[in-house]
Amino acid sequence: MTITAVDVVDVRFPTSRSLDGSDAMNPDPDYSAAYVVLHADDGLEGHGFTFTIGRGNDLCCAAIETLSEFVVGADVHGPADLGDLYRRLTHDSQIRWLGPEKGVMHLAAAALVNAAWDLAARRAGLPLWKYLSSLTPEEIVECVDWRYLSDALTPEAALGILRAAEPGKAERIAEVEREGYPAYTTSPGWLGYDDEKVVRLAREAVAQGYRQIKLKVGADLEDDRRRFAAARAAVGPGIRIAVDANQRWDVDQAVEWTKALAEFDPWWIEEPTSPDDVLGHAAIRKRLAPVKVATGEHVHNRVMFKQLLQAGAIDFLQMDAARVAGVNENLAILLLAKQFGVPVCPHAGGVGLCELVCHLSMFDYTSVSASMDDRVIEYVDHLHEHFTAPAVVRGGRYAAPTAPGFSAEMRRESLQRFAYPNGPEWRDNA
């Protein structure tokens, strides 16, 4: 199966009009995707994307076009080919200078890598989580770029992790298919929502079966205290409420602000400071215990995750399906998290991230961590109608995807309507 062509579409949804997705750092996002279709010589397609919040999505599209020369003509027959493709996309000496392994070029690599995995899983006739679960430990290890990781995790140790998870794998696959995977929702907590809407959505979330919700914080302390108090009163003491500052604070400010919210029992504080500040996160975690610290949606590669884990800086690792360079790099991150005993609670929401990341968590359960303890996947009830195989949550749990592939394919009418800048949604509302 050889890739013969790559199509790229700049897709943007005007979520800023309703303040969906608003937070202290990103007050008016337009959820967007640099969207990729790989065409193979057997007639199959692979779909993928990387997520942005509006301006700059065109830069990601241009970067994908640049990297496409490494994809056209590539074979995608199995995990060895996918490992080779990942390395070609991330190891070119001249393009690497632009990162290395971070920023717009890495986002572009994520879109192409994820599309290639979608293509491979479709060819196997399996949803991606189940395709990954069918691979041997040796095949998984072959997909990972081990450069820079050996001081924390060697390929041999990773093989040991994967082999230790082999017993009971079939039972865990059946459990995921039967019961799904725990979710939490951020839908009640956007910063642009008034108190009445926060309370109403929080109560609805609990009624729908969620045992955890999340609130955005960080713009105004008294507003945060009022909203948190209202949400806590609405859901009661038995529901976990996480809070998310979206990188708004310095270290001391993060500690002081979170302590001012402590009476409402926050489950974790998410992105309290710069995602690059490993030692800052470690200091915040030490000073805030027992409030937990979570981060990861803006951590740009496996090496940064390695350092956060080595420094004991986080209680929860929030991997993103398209911030790092796609499935291959996320396999490394899942293995690192298991090595250090830190639960993975992925970032989702956005456009299409819920659809993608549930595959990674389900594979983690079947084949890596073999645990759901304190593990939840974020869910935001926005924009799923634009996908051919949308994420489904029932009773506060993600249902296991059943359609072959990575659940990344958007409906053609959505691609046409929301294409930027000439799609009808943008042209008619200019």
Side-chain angles (χ1 to χ4, degrees):
M1 182 169 60
T2 301
I3 298 170
T4 58
V6 179
D7 294 333
V8 186
V9 185
D10 184 338
V11 187
R12 307 190 195 188
F13 299 91
T15 49
S16 61
R17 297 173 190 169
S18 57
L19 298 182
D20 296 338
S22 55
D23 59 56
M25 190 64 82
N26 309 290
D28 57 351
D30 285 324
Y31 280 172
S32 304
Y35 187 82
V36 174
V37 183
L38 305 182
H39 299 274
D41 58 1
D42 61 357
L44 287 178
E45 295 178 348
H47 297 255
F49 56 85
T50 196
F51 169 66
T52 78
I53 61 167
R55 288 183 294 276
N57 200 53
D58 52 329
L59 300 179
C60 285
C61 290
I64 292 168
E65 296 278 7
T66 296
L67 289 177
S68 293
E69 67 179 87
F70 297 96
V71 176
V72 174
D75 293 326
V76 184
H77 292 289
D81 292 331
L82 291 161
D84 289 343
L85 178 62
Y86 171 86
R87 292 178 183 90
R88 284 201 300 277
L89 289 168
T90 56
H91 284 199
D92 178 79
S93 63
Q94 295 182 8
I95 290 176
R96 184 178 161 78
W97 186 265
L98 303 177
E101 298 183 68
K102 62 176 70 73
V104 168
M105 299 310 299
H106 218 46
L107 293 171
L112 290 162
V113 167
N114 286 340
W117 279 93
D118 179 65
L119 183 59
R122 286 169 184 258
R123 188 168 187 264
L126 295 170
L128 181 80
W129 72 271
K130 206 166 184 179
Y131 177 61
L132 287 170
S133 300
S134 75
L135 301 181
T136 66
E138 292 76 13
E139 287 173 322
I140 293 293
V141 167
E142 191 175 17
C143 291
V144 173
D145 182 357
W146 292 100
R147 184 188 290 180
Y148 310 133
L149 298 185
S150 62
D151 58 320
L153 180 66
T154 63
E156 294 73 23
L159 278 173
I161 288 171
L162 293 162
R163 288 169 180 162
E166 287 286 287
K169 181 193 285 189
E171 290 79 8
R172 290 190 296 275
I173 289 172
E175 180 189 347
V176 166
E177 291 179 319
R178 183 176 65 250
E179 300 180 12
Y181 197 101
Y184 77 91
T185 182
T186 306
S187 293
W190 301 119
L191 207 62
Y193 291 175
D194 60 35
D195 292 7
E196 182 181 353
K197 188 171 184 177
V198 170
V199 167
R200 174 175 58 81
L201 293 175
R203 287 175 174 157
E204 288 177 2
V206 174
Q208 292 163 0
Y210 293 100
R211 308 305 296 167
Q212 179 175 327
I213 64 173
K214 188 166 75 183
L215 303 177
K216 299 292 185 174
V217 298
D220 181 274
L221 179 55
E222 290 311 309
D223 284 348
D224 289 348
R225 284 178 52 81
R226 187 190 70 252
R227 294 169 75 251
F228 202 160
R232 175 58 73 197
V235 303
I239 301 298
R240 291 175 175 177
I241 302 181
V243 292
D244 184 357
N246 291 97
Q247 318 159 36
R248 185 64 185 261
W249 303 319
D250 285 354
V251 170
D252 289 343
Q253 188 180 21
V255 172
E256 294 164 3
W257 203 298
T258 305
K259 285 183 174 179
L261 302 176
E263 66 181 283
F264 309 115
D265 192 23
W267 175 238
W268 73 50
I269 175 62
E270 181 174 331
E271 285 201 312
T273 193
S274 166
D276 297 344
D277 192 351
V278 174
L279 298 183
H281 277 86
I284 291 167
R285 180 175 182 246
K286 182 177 180 179
R287 292 167 64 182
L288 282 180
V291 176
K292 299 169 177 62
V293 172
T295 203
E297 69 182 86
H298 282 86
V299 174
H300 40 245
N301 58 43
R302 67 200 183 284
V303 181
M304 290 296 298
F305 276 113
K306 180 191 77 167
Q307 293 177 78
L308 286 163
L309 293 165
Q310 288 174 317
I314 52 174
D315 296 282
F316 297 105
L317 187 153
Q318 296 179 299
M319 65 193 299
D320 184 281
R323 167 68 61 178
V324 301
V327 172
N328 299 69
E329 194 159 22
N330 272 318
L331 294 176
I333 292 163
L334 287 172
L335 289 162
L336 284 165
K338 172 62 177 177
Q339 175 80 346
F340 285 86
V342 173
V344 175
C345 297
H347 168 244
V351 52
L353 296 181
C354 295
E355 278 68 26
L356 300 190
V357 80
C358 63
H359 288 270
L360 302 175
S361 281
M362 290 175 187
F363 163 74
D364 178 54
Y365 178 59
T366 66
S367 306
V368 183
S369 70
S371 174
M372 290 188 188
D373 293 345
D374 283 338
R375 289 164 170 82
V376 283
I377 308 170
E378 185 174 20
Y379 181 74
V380 177
D381 193 13
H382 298 148
L383 306 175
H384 304 291
E385 67 274 14
H386 300 294
F387 288 83
T388 61
V392 175
V393 173
R394 301 188 190 97
R397 300 176 75 90
Y398 273 85
T402 57
F406 202 1
S407 306
E409 184 178 358
M410 285 191 189
R411 298 183 180 278
R412 295 192 184 277
E413 56 268 29
S414 295
L415 292 174
Q416 294 167 358
R417 177 183 171 190
F418 293 96
Y420 185 87
N422 296 317
E425 187 67 30
W426 294 103
R427 185 185 64 242
D428 298 344
N429 291 282

